[in-house]
Amino acid sequence: MRCSLAVAAICIGTTSFAADLPPRAATPLPQVPSWTYVAMPYAWLPAINGSTTVKGRTTDINAGIGDILDRKIPAQLFGLMGAFEARNGRFAVMTDLTYMKLGADGGAARPRSVHPLVGGGLAAFATVQFEMVIAEAAVGYELVRWQGAGASETAIDLYGGGRFWWQKAEAELGLAAGLTIGDLTFARGRALAASGDVTWLDPLIGLRLRHRFTPQADLVLRGDVGGFGAGSKFSWQAMGYVNWEFARTQSVAWSGMLGYRALYVDFSKGRGRSHYEYDMLTHGPVLGLTARF
């Protein structure tokens, strides 16, 4: 009987001691990095400067934005562009797709006169029409991130991947040899050269800076180099744009985007009459929307 009383006393004492202890907080589970996404449809209004060779015939092109916008839509001027990014922690997958139709003129003329009533002329001109797809895919890694004053924040990414090109070019070539006698002029000559489908793949490596001014405004600067003789001889790209948030829902933040993009490539294939070359800088303002979710 005494033993039972002793055991009961110990149980009562233990229960009372346990009741006096503060409740132990549950250990939080480690937070698993979640995926975030950015979709950015945009328009690119480019100028083109450089030269192209179609079927062994080279044309120099220096067409400003106004010259490009003067072409017929959609037969000679059309474009669809968009970028997408998925990020998880320090890692990101980046893609960009561009489809364009661009037309431009190039030409030169040399007049010659041997008599006030007898003259001659030799003119060379070309109208070049490009159709192209430029598809980029890269993997990025955040190298460093630091906090600035207030809510500002800056991060630098290293990225590498590839840029795929598909092109088709048509050059309307004209050689007009003219003879003028009195008030009569004789001229003739026109030809069409087509490149057919031309494709290549350029490896690329680049850096990107992301700076957040406020939770509603940020700046992105990126630049890369590629080609290295694997596809094109050499290529480079520079792009910068600002996002400013104008609307937010429960799951998506909408921003307007304004910036500038420049893309240069020097590609050459074939020889003689089968020679195709595209040595061109395409550059101009970009305008679009950014959706973050």
Side-chain angles (χ1 to χ4, degrees):
M1 187 70 176
R2 291 180 180 176
C3 182
S4 299
L5 291 174
V7 171
I10 292 172
C11 291
I12 293 171
T14 304
T15 303
S16 176
F17 176 75
D20 292 339
L21 290 176
R24 190 168 67 178
T27 303
L29 295 175
Q31 187 175 2
V32 178
S34 59
W35 286 95
T36 58
Y37 305 95
V38 176
M40 189 174 70
Y42 64 92
W44 188 14
L45 305 177
I48 53 177
N49 306 97
S51 65
T52 184
T53 301
V54 181
K55 295 293 184 181
R57 297 168 176 87
T58 301
T59 304
D60 294 326
I61 298 175
N62 288 287
I65 296 175
D67 299 324
I68 299 295
L69 295 179
D70 197 37
R71 314 301 291 186
K72 294 180 181 179
I73 300 174
Q76 297 178 329
L77 177 62
F78 185 75
L80 291 172
M81 299 90 183
F84 181 80
E85 178 176 341
R87 174 172 288 276
N88 191 329
R90 287 179 173 263
F91 292 93
V93 178
M94 306 154 56
T95 62
D96 191 287
L97 181 63
T98 299
Y99 171 78
M100 289 191 298
K101 282 184 177 181
L102 295 175
D105 295 327
R110 291 185 303 160
R112 176 173 297 178
S113 178
V114 296
H115 189 273
L117 296 178
V118 180
L122 179 63
F125 64 90
T127 298
V128 184
Q129 180 69 35
F130 299 103
E131 185 179 7
M132 68 183 76
V133 173
I134 309 168
E136 300 177 10
V139 175
Y141 179 76
E142 185 181 286
L143 297 175
V144 62
R145 174 190 293 265
W146 67 91
Q147 295 292 132
S152 67
E153 185 179 66
T154 306
I156 296 178
D157 301 324
L158 173 68
Y159 64 91
R163 181 180 296 118
F164 170 80
W165 293 76
W166 172 86
Q167 279 190 353
K168 186 163 61 175
E170 290 184 351
E172 185 179 354
L173 307 169
L175 290 174
L179 176 63
T180 302
I181 302 176
D183 58 352
L184 300 177
T185 300
F186 305 90
R188 188 187 180 104
R190 186 178 293 265
L192 181 68
S195 68
D197 294 346
V198 181
T199 61
W200 71 92
L201 178 64
D202 284 341
L204 64 88
I205 186 170
L207 287 173
R208 181 176 65 169
L209 181 144
R210 296 176 287 120
H211 179 73
R212 185 180 68 187
F213 300 103
T214 69
Q216 291 77 35
D218 65 273
L219 168 70
V220 177
L221 300 174
R222 58 172 290 197
D224 58 67
V225 293
F228 313 119
S232 65
K233 297 177 185 177
F234 184 70
S235 70
W236 61 262
Q237 177 176 232
M239 185 174 182
Y241 56 90
V242 176
N243 291 305
W244 65 98
E245 185 180 312
F246 63 86
R248 180 182 289 266
T249 64
Q250 186 175 359
S251 58
V252 182
W254 295 93
S255 302
M257 185 272 284
L258 179 64
Y260 201 89
R261 181 185 184 187
L263 176 60
Y264 169 78
V265 64
D266 182 6
F267 172 80
S268 181
K269 178 182 180 180
R271 293 186 177 185
R273 293 303 181 190
S274 65
H275 184 204
Y276 178 76
E277 185 169 352
Y278 186 79
D279 184 4
M280 200 75 65
L281 171 64
T282 307
H283 60 100
V286 290
L287 176 68
L289 291 174
T290 301
R292 302 176 187 273
F293 51 96

